[in-house]
Amino acid sequence: MSAGELEGKVALVTGGSRGIGLAIAESLAAGGARIAVIGRDGERAKAAAAKLTGSGHCGFSCDVADSEQVKEVLALVESEVGPVDILVNNAGITRDNILLRMKDEEFDEVIAANLKGAFNFTRAAARGMMKRRDGVILNITSVVGLIGNAGQANYAASKAGMIGMTKSVAKELASRGVRCNALAPGFIRTDMTHDLTDAQVEALQGQIPLGRLGETDDIGGVARFLVGPSARYITGQVLAVDGGMVM
Ligand code: NAI
């Protein structure tokens, strides 16, 4: 990867003000892209955008689950930052519970944020990408979407849904010059995994051939590769970045 390979590109990263999304935003910014950071909290999104490498980045407030807000924010991004060349659907939540105790709201909220949210931004951004016959979409799914996880029926369903959507969008938009891939992180140290106990971390490490949980920087560079010119012949793929946990 060369330093300025994303020069002139605009990348929109949902949930980009912390964790994995922030690491992806920083990696794409370091590659020369201008970043639109999308977060539920607009002030935090703006503060995160201001700290990224380079200039021309902006932060925007938006709930990805709300399709009207998504349409409005996309129009705002296109007028303030520029047409979106790269879309990273990273925003996500967990509402874990065992199956028999899982409430309707816990199921619905996770599907709305993780799966519908990715759909909302993909549909909104695809129109311009197809017209320009150029664009890249990267969906941040999870290894849990590939192998399931007890206590996460809602989350695993949302992440498996993203994989089906990735492949469908890849097939539908390939002839219009738009690529779509998924990146499936394993267990990465962020606010999302912050509540794991030492015993849980130790048990998890035993299942990871590379012997450690991942860091957000383990994801940023792979995301940059997948949205960049070196990956121009890759579409419809799911790349696990998980220390070898799932193979
Ligand atoms: P995080 O909780 O630190 O960050 C998630 C971000 O998404 C936050 O900034 C949050 O405000 C934003 N977000 C959530 N719902 C939103 C909504 N409705 N509208 C707008 N923004 C919203 O989590 P983390 O760990 O950085 O996760 C990022 C992505 O990576 C998620 O999709 C997660 O499912 C996925 N992932 C994380 C793994 C991990 O081990 N941390 C493993 C596999 C996947």
Side-chain angles (χ1 to χ4, degrees), residues 179 181 225-226 228-237:
R179 298 190 294 109
N181 289 296
F225 160 71
L226 283 172
S230 306
R232 62 187 169 270
Y233 200 51
I234 301 178
T235 197
Q237 298 303 306

Side-chain angles (χ1 to χ4, degrees), residues 66-215:
D66 181 332
S67 64
E68 285 309 312
Q69 271 188 47
V70 168
K71 276 186 219 153
E72 285 164 24
V73 163
L74 195 92
L76 210 58
V77 170
E78 303 227 322
S79 75
E80 288 184 19
V81 192
V84 175
D85 304 293
I86 298 166
L87 167 66
V88 182
N89 287 310
N90 163 81
I93 57 169
T94 52
R95 296 281 183 273
D96 300 352
N97 215 339
I98 54 168
L99 183 67
L100 297 187
R101 292 215 188 116
M102 189 171 284
K103 299 186 183 69
D104 285 3
E105 306 88 82
E106 288 168 338
F107 189 86
D108 293 345
E109 280 172 22
V110 168
I111 298 292
N114 299 6
L115 182 56
K116 182 80 187 316
F119 168 75
N120 286 338
F121 263 106
T122 300
R123 183 178 57 182
R127 188 182 298 277
M129 289 179 175
M130 288 162 77
K131 256 194 213 150
R132 294 187 296 277
R133 302 191 82 78
D134 187 28
V136 191
I137 299 163
L138 180 64
N139 291 322
I140 307 305
T141 171
S142 167
V143 290
V144 164
L146 294 167
I147 59 172
N149 197 19
Q152 290 196 310
N154 52 357
Y155 182 77
S158 75
K159 294 299 184 181
M162 284 177 93
I163 292 173
M165 189 166 72
T166 299
K167 294 179 181 180
S168 302
V169 169
K171 285 186 175 173
E172 196 170 324
L173 303 191
S175 65
R176 317 294 286 272
V178 179
R179 298 190 294 109
C180 181
N181 289 296
L183 190 163
F187 284 89
I188 311 296
R189 286 187 194 278
T190 66
D191 288 355
M192 193 175 265
T193 48
H194 175 255
D195 291 338
L196 292 173
T197 62
D198 288 350
Q200 284 171 316
V201 169
E202 207 170 304
L204 277 170
Q205 281 174 179
Q207 297 167 36
I208 302 172
L210 287 180
R212 64 170 176 88
L213 263 65
E215 305 295 334

